[in-house]
Amino acid sequence: MPVFKLCLKIFKKNIPVMMIYFGLFIAVSIMMITMSTPTDQTGFSVSKARVAFFSEENTPLVEGLKTSLAENADFIDIEDDQEILQDSLYYRKINYVLRIPQNFTADFMTGADPKVIKTSIPGSTSNVYVDLKIESYLNTARMYLDLIPGISQEKIKSQVLSDMAEETEVEMLRRDSSGSETGLMQYFFNYLAYTFMFIIIMGVSVIMLVFNDPIIKQRNSCSPFSTTKINLQIFLSILLFTFFSWIVLAGLSLTFAIDEIPNFNTKYYVLNSLIFALTSSALSYLIASLVKGREAMIAIANVVTLGSSFISGVFIPQDLLSEGVLKIASFLPTYWFVRGNRMISMLMEKSGPVFDEMVSSMLIQLGFAFGFFILTMIVSKKKRSV
Amino acid sequence: MFYHIFKYRLKVLLRSKEMIFWTLLFPIALSIFFNLAFSGLRNQDSFNIINIAFVDNANDPNFSEAINSVSEGEDRIFNMIRTDLENAEKLLENDEISGIIVSDENITLTVNSSGINQSIIKSFIDQYKQVTSTATRILSQNPQAAADLPAEIATRISYTKSDPMGKSELDIVLNYFYALIAMTCFYGGFFGVEEINQIQANLSKRAARVNVAPIHKLKSFIYSLSASALIQLIEITVFLTFLIFVLGVKFGENMGLVILTTFIGSLTGISFGSFIGAVVKGNENTKTGVLIGVTMIGSFLSGMMFGEMKYIVQTNAPILSYLNPINLLGDAFYSLYIYDTYNRYYTNIAGLLVFTIIFSISTYLIIRRRKYASI
């Protein structure tokens, strides 16, 4: 099989370039590992806002406020510098800056109009959350002050705090069982979509650029090999390349999430990625037959892979994308791959609506693969007649 | 002579589709993807009215009133539906509501998961219970207060005053776009690499020809470089216009300084490209590779792929954020948008100018007076 052998030679020559993309995938995945904090929850826990607390006075009333706020807030130790605070607010390292001005307590006790000064992210949930707590503490304190003549500050503090100890019982309706949903494997396989598509488009184009060169094409046409045979061997080598990349990348994904391999859904992740590999190779076959020139190829590969990854939820979870964007994305196989992975992460048994959704996501990907293949056939037929 | 070289360089560069793609179309494409993908990120922590179900078995008018008061009007916290338990659980299961408040003898909350919305619902119920406890306590200590108590409970005084910091809202998505413009300015380095290729006799045949022409090398280099600079400045203006008017990216009020910053950034980018072209040995592909690689690492560190990165670098290795010209440029836009003062902005611009000067002088020293025994 001389054509097949030639293709392998071309691939071998391009190994260094491909290594860069494998490296990229590894780098991104390692970043993911270090960033992710697995949320392991069994019961209800109260959310905490990150608050920078600065007080210019230290009175029992203010102490009480801080104590009651501690239930809903983590106090962040930070330098009181305008620039640092602004940066920290921008990057959401803190959600709320609370300042107790001097004479706040005195004003409060005498019924003047005391205010604590807050700086928060306008319109944010944490803003509403912290406000609720502060207002509640101070309003309760005010009731004691107004209605019990001569009450001391200490007494207000202790009574308000003991009132606020009253807590509501919270029940969890659906216990989020199995750690798999919060597992990392889903993300590693999602990231694979980006690297995979890029590598395969580049790999396939490397071969096709050589064979589509007019002079080489003419030379090949007069060889004693039928076109079908040549195409078949090229196709075989592309499949081999796809399969090889799939083994490397899926293997890496599995290694990164090695603790989760024994889970029930691992095999579906692997299957889904194999289907995506097929779809990507069909897509790259189509692109390679449409685009001429190496530079244009790199440009297209970048735009197609980055674009589809961005809007299909590879980099940013699908939950955070708007409905309109997802609608556009549903015309791309990447969307269905990511969706399939999400279904798999929720999968608990071999039947039921989640399982059906997963299967349909996979079938749609195969549909795309078939569609791309047909399109390639039509395109190359048209090209030949010109 | 200037006009001649300038004109033909301009024509050559404009015909290079690849160049125009990387320096203009690719950034535009990326910005569109950013805009599509990050719109959700922008709303992630903004407060949306919380949907709850209320199952009222106890018919407690006080609680009913309390919950109504926060579920009505413009600044309400809840969208409340009164329903029976069965229906409420169905809604909760479909994630249509965040929690169910059940009022029996005791008031309880049922949720699906822990989260800030759920915590807010809990805080609200806690508060209601606390008021009851407060009222009982007050009455036991001062029975005469009974007459004033209802009015006191009904009064809610706001004790917080907002002191917004800086002049802008803290839109976390903007930094991605700022880093992207910085990247685009540095992609202008493609022009720099190309210009070096066209002037160093060992790099291209055209350069060998130009070197034997009776024109001062520095002059011809500067003439053709100005053609590159012109294209880059036009491109960056187009990109900026696109960001502002099509995608609605905000830059603060000082438009003049924003434009100045992009221009300075473009010049730093081009000089950076020439520097790479002069320093890196090897063919054009290697040089472009190094250019893209360095730009990508710089953009990554200034938060283009992952917004928090810029903050991590800034707090853990501040020196690195000054040594990264892409971060200086991105940070210049950020400071213009966020801060009231210009100190940090001027520091950034000064840093960029220093980099530009270093790149230009090194390039000059490397490319001047090259002699070739054979090419």
Side-chain angles (χ1 to χ4, degrees):
Chain A
M1 295 204 292
V3 179
F4 182 74
K5 271 189 189 154
L6 171 68
C7 290
L8 291 192
K9 260 191 188 162
I10 300 173
F11 279 131
K12 255 188 212 154
K13 253 198 147 171
N14 282 284
I15 282 179
V17 185
M18 297 297 162
M19 288 311 284
I20 298 176
Y21 297 108
F22 283 114
L24 191 78
F25 172 73
I26 296 172
V28 169
S29 305
I30 289 175
M31 239 175 60
M32 275 296 302
I33 296 181
T34 50
M35 266 164 49
S36 57
T37 39
T39 42
D40 197 20
Q41 47 163 280
T42 40
F44 182 79
S45 58
V46 172
S47 298
K48 294 203 168 191
R50 292 177 292 274
V51 175
F53 189 96
F54 301 109
S55 178
E56 284 171 26
E57 57 176 23
N58 205 1
T59 59
L61 186 76
V62 173
E63 266 170 38
L65 176 62
K66 198 172 178 183
T67 316
S68 85
L69 201 55
E71 231 173 85
N72 303 43
D74 285 324
F75 295 112
I76 306 289
D77 212 6
I78 199 167
E79 197 185 324
D80 189 2
D81 172 276
Q82 173 96 359
E83 243 180 52
I84 294 179
L85 288 175
Q86 255 170 321
D87 281 352
S88 314
L89 270 175
Y90 183 87
Y91 289 104
R92 312 300 194 254
K93 293 295 146 189
I94 50 177
N95 308 117
Y96 202 102
V97 181
L98 180 62
R99 279 175 204 285
I100 317 286
Q102 207 149 20
N103 291 331
F104 173 78
T105 312
D107 286 351
F108 188 85
M109 297 304 283
T110 53
D113 184 34
K115 299 269 185 210
V116 296
I117 314 292
K118 65 158 181 177
T119 307
S120 60
I121 301 146
S124 69
T125 313
S126 48
N127 179 22
V128 175
Y129 187 49
V130 178
D131 276 0
L132 211 59
K133 193 75 180 190
I134 297 174
E135 304 289 13
S136 159
Y137 174 85
L138 291 172
N139 273 295
T140 315
R142 191 207 68 230
M143 282 171 67
Y144 279 107
L145 184 70
D146 286 356
L147 296 176
I148 301 183
I151 189 170
S152 75
Q153 233 190 90
E154 277 292 345
K155 193 138 191 222
I156 293 181
K157 173 192 159 188
S158 67
Q159 294 194 341
V160 174
L161 285 181
S162 80
D163 283 343
M164 291 186 95
E166 184 93 31
E167 282 211 51
T168 312
E169 223 175 284
V170 182
E171 250 178 75
M172 296 282 263
L173 180 66
R174 178 182 63 196
R175 299 206 179 274
D176 285 341
S177 54
S178 90
S180 55
E181 196 182 345
T182 48
L184 289 174
M185 195 177 279
Q186 183 191 353
Y187 297 103
F188 293 130
F189 274 94
N190 279 352
Y191 272 117
L192 199 136
Y194 172 67
T195 337
F196 217 175
M197 223 184 209
F198 198 91
I199 288 184
I200 293 185
I201 293 181
M202 291 312 289
V204 171
S205 65
V206 157
I207 300 283
M208 298 304 279
L209 282 176
V210 173
F211 282 93
N212 282 342
D213 187 289
I215 298 169
I216 294 181
K217 221 175 188 171
Q218 282 165 7
R219 165 65 187 80
N220 281 344
S221 317
C222 61
S223 69
F225 255 63
S226 73
T227 331
T228 337
K229 227 175 179 179
I230 294 178
N231 279 337
L232 216 65
Q233 291 192 18
I234 294 178
F235 197 66
L236 206 65
S237 76
I238 288 176
L239 275 185
L240 185 76
F241 174 70
T242 307
F243 190 68
F244 175 76
S245 320
W246 173 71
I247 288 186
V248 174
L249 287 174
L252 278 171
S253 293
L254 288 174
T255 330
F256 283 132
I258 199 154
D259 307 337
E260 295 167 36
I261 291 180
N263 284 356
F264 156 76
N265 25 27
T266 305
K267 53 181 177 291
Y268 294 105
Y269 279 122
V270 174
L271 178 67
N272 196 28
S273 66
L274 181 63
I275 291 174
F276 184 71
L278 274 178
T279 316
S280 305
S281 67
L283 173 65
S284 43
Y285 210 42
L286 174 66
I287 292 178
S289 61
L290 282 175
V291 184
K292 280 181 213 149
R294 195 181 153 72
E295 277 72 34
M297 204 61 232
I298 298 176
I300 296 282
N302 264 302
V303 173
V304 168
T305 48
L306 271 176
S308 61
S309 302
F310 261 118
I311 67 173
S312 304
V314 172
F315 297 134
I316 288 163
Q318 284 188 348
D319 298 337
L320 290 180
L321 295 172
S322 73
E323 225 154 87
V325 173
L326 287 179
K327 251 194 201 122
I328 303 171
S330 64
F331 289 99
L332 300 167
T334 316
Y335 170 84
W336 296 100
F337 171 65
V338 174
R339 192 180 160 80
N341 281 340
R342 200 163 128 210
M343 290 303 140
I344 295 168
S345 77
M346 294 195 282
L347 199 64
M348 300 200 188
E349 56 203 352
K350 264 190 182 170
S351 56
V354 178
F355 187 81
D356 294 345
E357 282 254 11
M358 178 198 82
V359 172
S360 66
S361 294
M362 289 181 180
L363 287 179
I364 291 172
Q365 288 179 62
L366 285 176
F368 271 110
F370 187 68
F372 290 143
F373 193 73
I374 298 286
L375 268 177
T376 318
M377 289 302 168
I378 297 171
V379 168
S380 55
K381 189 113 199 180
K382 274 217 164 135
K383 267 196 176 162
R384 213 176 305 159
S385 58
V386 170
Chain B
M1 202 62 207
F2 170 77
Y3 181 66
H4 181 84
I5 295 180
F6 184 78
K7 182 175 123 194
Y8 285 101
R9 249 349 255 159
L10 213 56
K11 279 191 165 174
V12 169
L13 288 170
L14 284 177
R15 280 181 194 167
S16 157
K17 283 188 208 135
E18 192 198 336
M19 202 75 118
I20 305 295
F21 172 81
W22 286 111
T23 51
L24 182 64
L25 298 180
F26 184 62
I28 288 182
L30 265 184
S31 70
I32 294 174
F33 300 149
F34 277 15
N35 196 48
L36 289 174
F38 294 154
S39 49
L41 213 60
R42 189 172 278 155
N43 304 326
Q44 195 186 9
D45 63 352
S46 65
F47 179 70
N48 293 315
I49 296 167
I50 303 165
N51 296 323
I52 56 167
F54 177 39
V55 180
D56 192 2
N57 293 336
N59 282 323
D60 176 356
N62 288 333
F63 185 64
S64 201
E65 196 185 319
I67 200 168
N68 276 334
S69 72
V70 287
S71 311
E72 284 164 1
E74 274 288 292
D75 41 341
R76 63 185 187 276
I77 318 179
F78 300 134
N79 281 329
M80 186 254 294
I81 343 170
R82 279 167 191 271
T83 179
D84 55 58
L85 189 61
E86 198 183 329
N87 188 28
E89 280 181 353
K90 209 174 282 166
L91 288 174
L92 186 61
E93 213 149 313
N94 296 335
D95 279 328
E96 281 171 50
I97 52 173
S98 301
I100 310 171
I101 299 178
V102 182
S103 152
D104 273 320
E105 288 156 36
N106 197 0
I107 303 166
T108 55
L109 170 65
T110 310
V111 294
N112 253 345
S113 58
S114 302
I116 193 151
N117 279 355
Q118 289 77 0
S119 300
I120 289 179
I121 309 176
K122 178 175 175 294
S123 280
F124 165 76
I125 308 173
D126 286 350
Q127 271 180 39
Y128 176 77
K129 291 184 168 178
Q130 287 153 14
V131 169
T132 321
S133 148
T134 309
T136 332
R137 206 187 292 262
I138 289 176
L139 284 181
S140 73
Q141 289 172 21
N142 180 16
Q144 282 113 6
D148 296 331
L149 195 57
E152 273 288 334
I153 293 177
T155 328
R156 299 293 284 181
I157 297 178
S158 169
Y159 287 101
T160 52
K161 194 171 88 185
S162 191
D163 170 31
M165 210 178 257
K167 50 204 167 181
S168 320
E169 52 187 308
L170 300 160
D171 185 347
I172 198 157
V173 176
L174 287 175
N175 195 49
Y176 287 98
F177 288 103
Y178 295 160
L180 181 62
I181 304 182
M183 184 204 84
T184 312
C185 287
F186 275 78
Y187 265 21
F190 278 107
F191 289 113
V193 171
E194 176 66 11
E195 291 305 340
I196 294 291
N197 265 341
Q198 299 300 331
I199 202 77
Q200 287 302 80
N202 59 335
L203 296 179
S204 66
K205 283 177 184 157
R206 183 185 169 271
R209 168 66 187 83
V210 168
N211 267 241
V212 294
I215 178 171
H216 194 283
K217 189 176 176 188
L218 185 63
K219 276 186 192 161
S220 100
F221 179 61
I222 288 179
Y223 296 166
S224 44
L225 199 63
S226 31
S228 283
L230 180 69
I231 295 177
Q232 168 71 9
L233 292 186
I234 292 173
E235 282 181 345
I236 203 81
T237 313
V238 170
F239 185 46
L240 199 63
T241 318
F242 179 79
L243 287 180
I244 294 173
F245 292 106
V246 180
L247 300 185
V249 176
K250 286 179 228 114
F251 285 90
E253 284 136 27
N254 209 329
M255 233 26 239
L257 284 182
V258 171
I259 294 172
L260 179 73
T261 313
T262 49
F263 281 13
I264 293 178
S266 301
L267 294 184
T268 317
I270 294 176
S271 65
F272 170 69
S274 329
F275 175 70
I276 296 273
V279 162
V280 177
K281 302 273 175 278
N283 61 9
E284 200 181 344
N285 280 337
T286 323
K287 291 179 183 183
T288 333
V290 172
L291 178 75
I292 294 181
V294 175
T295 310
M296 277 301 155
I297 294 171
S299 313
F300 172 72
L301 291 177
S302 56
M304 197 179 85
M305 289 81 167
F306 164 52
E308 239 171 82
M309 203 58 216
K310 180 169 173 330
Y311 184 80
I312 293 172
V313 173
Q314 196 175 305
T315 43
N316 295 323
I319 187 83
L320 195 60
S321 57
Y322 288 109
L323 289 180
N324 176 3
I326 297 173
N327 185 58
L328 288 176
L329 185 51
D331 200 59
F333 291 116
Y334 171 81
S335 343
L336 275 182
Y337 173 72
I338 293 274
Y339 302 128
D340 299 315
T341 54
Y342 289 104
N343 290 342
R344 183 145 145 195
Y345 173 73
Y346 290 135
T347 318
N348 287 322
I349 292 297
L352 281 174
L353 290 176
V354 169
F355 269 112
T356 315
I357 292 168
I358 294 176
F359 290 146
S360 308
I361 292 182
S362 327
T363 311
Y364 171 70
L365 290 178
I366 295 170
I367 65 169
R368 72 194 288 260
R369 300 206 169 185
R370 276 287 177 88
K371 288 199 174 74
Y372 307 94
S374 72
I375 289 176

